[in-house]
Amino acid sequence: MSKHAADKLMSLGVTNLATLLTHLPHRHEWIRARATLDDLVPGVIGSAIGQISAIKVAGYGRKARLQVVLIDDSAPNALQHGRLDLVFFNQAFLAKKLEPGMYLNVQGTPKTYGPGLQMANPKFTIIKQEELEQHLATDQDDEYRPVYPATDGLTSLEIHEIIKPLIEEASQLLEDHLNEDYRNERALPTLAEAYRMLHAPIDEDEVSSAKRRLAYDELLLLQLGVHMKRAHLRSTLQSPALPTSQEIDDRIAARIPFTLTADQKQVSDEIARDLSFTTPTNRLIQGDVGSGKTVVAVTAMLRAIAHGHQAALMAPTELLAEQHYLSISDMLRDSSTRIALLTGSMPADQRSETLALIESGEIDLVVGTHSLVSDAVAFHSLAVAIIDEQHRFGVEQRAKLRVKGGVKGGAESSNETPHVIVMTATPIPRTIGLTIFGDLDISTITHLPKGRKPITTKLVTPDKRSTVYHWLNEKIKQGQQAYIVVPAIEPGGKTTATLHSDGTTYGGKSPTRNLRELQKELESGELHDVKLAAMHGKLKRDTRERIMHRFRNHDIDCLIATTVIEVGVDVPNACVIVIEDADRFGLAQLHQLRGRVGRGDQPSVCVLVADPKTEDGKRRLEAMVESTSGFILAQRDLEIRGPGDVFGTRQSGMPPFKVANPLEDHDLLNMARRDAANWIEHSPMLENQGETLIRRRLLKAHGQWLGVGDVG
Ligand code: ADP
Ligand code: MG
């Protein structure tokens, strides 16, 4: 290997033979022995090499497309070239990458186009002039070749030329963590074979067999980690047992201002059962926006308090924490329960006073933001910890809350941990939930409380904005209340619209509507005689609370807000929401925002104001108009965005899958789950003979984020 190539490989993180193998191709392509353009057949997937003779951009805006003409000399006569037309949609950036004279190996399904053929959005690799010979080796057989992700400095072919001669040697070094019987039972190749088949396959079958092995490994290691952690928690940690009694049940029921729905009752009972044991509860409550999860959480917290312990509720935003604090305080009015709010923005003296009361046990129930898990917070005796809107938090927060348990000064404090319950409105397909949150039990609240009126959703273009606000004015005159949501506070300000649950924002550069200007416009225009107030994250806490209080009391008709109202705000009389620049928001966020209305007994309306510039933006808004079900919207989101990061695996800290796709590899996933459960049942810490290697690989991949690195 040349020094140059070795350096390049080092820069890719390939420092030894074994990691060389894990530098995986992202796809494979046939290099046909006689791969001429003339050989291509319409309707049949094929690949061929040609030279770019012309490039042009046609159409404008959304319809813009890149047209490329490839030629070679495979013509029926000397006057003609072999020719293939390529067209790329939505890939304007390619215009900079491609230029006339370049050689491309393209793969795709050509169709008839005028007198010739055309491929739309084909896969392709650029071939260097000096590599052309090798690619066009017409005297050789067809070759099924890996395509490696482009890197600066090394072409896919160069990487292939480096790896190929080393495969035998490298895979010799690769020990398998699964034994022969185990592999044979599941028809899995050895690891060495799998890597050989990926880097130098004979055909498609070899590639799929290799991928099956590697995907299974990824899923198995994850599942083993999840099960190992669960076994570890169960065997070493204890939570206070909080048994139920008729008296406790009655006292709790007396505090709830309505009758629980059948679903709420069932979940509340499931939790009561969990809490009655010393095994730490680890349960996920899944329920659509507005399904009434908070009250179920309250019943769980009251069980801790009934037994003389403390409870904590952690919310993702200050506004939501404040709202929870107020509504729970209201429920527990004139009871002996002492409640506190703890957020990051509290004045220092107030904060340290609250911290002292939490530590001495004079506070029974704490509502807070992530500041609850800061080191400064010590509980006297935390028995139940609730995390609201789990998708906004990472796994670490759950782990940090866990170590907040234990009765202070108690002899057994080191292995005491609270029961943990997490809540989410983001529906997660069951198989995925089990994959990623495999250490959680899952409860679902399916039905909304009775009497909810449907929400109608309308999509309106910005030029009709004035009509919308005239109509809104009418509604307000009739006694209704409303929200108006904008993506930014100031002109040119940072947008709080997020496309993804991890906070990724919309990439578009065009200016967004902003709160300040819109408020001015409306105050001197359509809503001039309406009591309007602004709500955003830059306001002080007491200002925020005062405004929410006045809005709840209907002293304010309309809140013009940023996405701070996205979660948790609960004012039943508000039944109109207008969302400006709606195409800037992701589906999950739009659904949450819309969930602010439809909480009372009046029919509600959600108006999306947008002129979507992208195909995805259009599809998101159409999905919103078509459905109000969080479950269906999550499915649509998946289709639009692809499985990538819909489930917040990124925040969880879990390393991404390289080969496995848990959405598609159902059978493999189920197999891995069953195998892992079985395995851990017989060998909870993987400390038997022959398990050293798999244990080491598991801890390397998942030890840290799962917090099992120090297990054993
Ligand atoms: P989410 O699941 O979105 O967190 P909330 O807990 O905020 O939902 O509840 C939404 C609204 O429904 C609140 O106003 C709550 O008081 C009300 N609610 C919850 N459960 C019931 C019920 N069983 N009957 C009537 N109203 C309920
Ligand atoms: Mg909620």
Side-chain angles (χ1 to χ4, degrees), residues 293-294 324 388-389:
K293 295 181 289 293
T294 315
H324 278 327
D388 194 12
E389 305 297 345

Side-chain angles (χ1 to χ4, degrees), residues 258-261 264 288-294 449 452 570 599:
F258 35 70
T259 323
L260 293 186
T261 64
Q264 285 171 320
D288 206 348
V289 181
S291 62
K293 295 181 289 293
T294 315
R452 294 281 170 81
D570 183 36
R599 295 180 162 249

Side-chain angles (χ1 to χ4, degrees), residues 217-233:
D217 272 16
E218 284 184 325
L219 296 166
L220 180 73
L221 285 188
L222 174 66
Q223 292 298 308
L224 282 173
V226 159
H227 280 89
M228 183 196 256
K229 174 169 182 196
R230 188 186 174 103
H232 173 65
L233 272 184

Side-chain angles (χ1 to χ4, degrees), residues 59-131:
Y60 295 96
R62 237 183 289 165
K63 296 231 170 65
R65 59 202 184 275
L66 186 67
Q67 295 178 328
V68 176
V69 180
L70 281 192
I71 54 166
D72 70 3
D73 46 18
S74 65
N77 63 60
L79 294 175
Q80 276 179 299
H81 289 295
R83 168 176 173 147
L84 173 68
D85 283 74
L86 308 179
V87 58
F88 296 92
F89 300 99
N90 298 319
Q91 299 187 54
F93 60 92
L94 285 181
K96 292 202 194 74
K97 224 169 122 177
L98 302 180
E99 51 191 63
M102 270 182 177
Y103 286 88
L104 301 183
N105 183 15
V106 293
Q107 185 188 331
T109 308
K111 59 175 202 227
T112 313
Y113 178 72
L117 291 177
Q118 185 194 55
M119 272 186 198
N121 287 342
K123 292 176 179 160
F124 69 89
T125 32
I126 298 172
I127 297 172
K128 284 188 183 169
Q129 193 81 42
E130 58 269 28
E131 290 174 356

Side-chain angles (χ1 to χ4, degrees), residues 476 481-486 515-516 518-520 522-523 527 529-536 539 543-544 546-552 554-562 564-565:
I476 289 172
Q481 287 176 277
Y483 304 97
I484 300 169
V485 181
V486 279
L515 194 151
R516 303 252 190 259
L518 185 63
Q519 184 177 8
K520 248 190 238 138
L522 294 175
E523 276 172 348
L527 302 184
D529 52 353
V530 159
K531 277 173 286 176
L532 201 65
M535 170 60 74
H536 54 79
L539 297 174
T543 313
R544 239 170 15 219
R546 203 171 53 242
I547 292 172
M548 283 315 297
H549 182 77
R550 291 177 57 213
F551 187 59
R552 197 168 289 110
H554 205 161
D555 296 333
I556 291 172
D557 298 314
C558 179
L559 277 187
I560 169 161
T562 59
V564 290
I565 64 151

Side-chain angles (χ1 to χ4, degrees), residues 193-228:
E193 280 168 333
Y195 281 112
R196 196 276 301 157
M197 293 192 291
L198 265 191
H199 290 294
I202 292 170
D203 57 18
E204 287 95 334
D205 288 347
E206 285 206 343
V207 171
S208 62
S209 167
K211 283 187 172 165
R212 182 166 170 274
R213 166 69 209 258
L214 298 186
Y216 174 80
D217 272 16
E218 284 184 325
L219 296 166
L220 180 73
L221 285 188
L222 174 66
Q223 292 298 308
L224 282 173
V226 159
H227 280 89
M228 183 196 256

